[in-house]
């Protein structure tokens, strides 16, 4: 009793795991959850999975594709085209994508807290 458990293997689904989870002595923190939340938000806005091999090479990994769109100031291009019926505001979609990009920053210390 009184011993802390030690995890020796990664647990989770590829596409939702943050980059630091693949480091040798990584300890899971709430920043892992923040990263995963960001991916889920991206999936909802884009209407596709985090990793989808049916897309062209440059779009297979959703996060990488959306980051490129962000660099090109084309965030709105990441939205699910099935949502074009006007039931959402473009500004709101861009805000959701921006939040997801904050949650999926490479450096966990730069990600927002769960609060």
């Amino acid at each position: 009793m009184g011993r802390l458990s030690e995890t020796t293997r990664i647990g989770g689904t590829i596409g939702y795991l943050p980059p630091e989870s693949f480091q040798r002595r990584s300890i899971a923190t709430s920043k892992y959850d923040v990263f995963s939340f960001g991916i889920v938000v991206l999936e909802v806005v884009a209407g596709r999975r985090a990793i989808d091999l049916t897309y062209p090479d440059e779009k297979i990994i959703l996060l990488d594709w959306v980051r490129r769109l962000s660099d090109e100031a084309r965030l709105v291009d990441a939205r699910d085209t099935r949502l074009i019926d006007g039931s959402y505001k473009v500004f709101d979609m861009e805000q959701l994508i921006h939040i997801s990009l904050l949650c999926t920053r490479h450096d966990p210390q730069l990600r927002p807290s769960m609060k």
Side-chain angles (χ1 to χ4, degrees):
M1 293 254 135
R3 292 184 58 201
L4 295 175
S5 65
E6 185 175 318
T7 302
T8 57
R9 295 186 344 206
I10 296 172
T13 305
I14 299 296
Y16 299 90
L17 293 171
E20 67 271 14
S21 68
F22 296 95
Q23 294 173 355
R24 178 159 224 169
R25 299 230 182 239
S26 179
I27 297 172
T29 68
S30 63
K31 298 296 184 171
Y32 278 39
D33 296 332
V34 171
F35 184 92
S36 298
F37 171 76
I39 296 296
V40 170
V41 171
L42 272 183
E43 287 182 318
V44 170
V45 172
R48 53 165 288 200
R49 294 181 178 154
I51 296 176
D52 192 335
L53 299 175
T54 65
Y55 283 87
D57 289 349
E58 68 276 2
K59 292 183 178 183
I60 288 175
I61 300 173
L62 177 61
L63 179 57
D64 291 348
W65 175 60
V66 172
R67 283 180 176 159
R68 281 192 297 279
L69 291 175
S70 177
D71 291 344
E72 298 168 6
R74 296 176 40 215
L75 278 183
V76 74
D77 291 349
R79 85 210 176 299
D80 185 346
T81 56
R82 295 172 290 188
L83 301 175
I84 295 180
D85 66 1
S87 62
Y88 71 94
K89 294 178 182 166
V90 171
F91 176 79
D92 294 340
M93 295 295 276
E94 288 178 334
Q95 292 291 43
L96 283 171
I97 296 169
H98 179 69
I99 288 168
S100 68
L101 290 175
L102 288 174
C103 291
T104 55
R105 295 193 66 162
H106 201 74
D107 182 348
Q109 298 306 320
L110 298 177
R111 295 178 200 145
S113 69
M114 285 303 279
K115 289 182 181 181

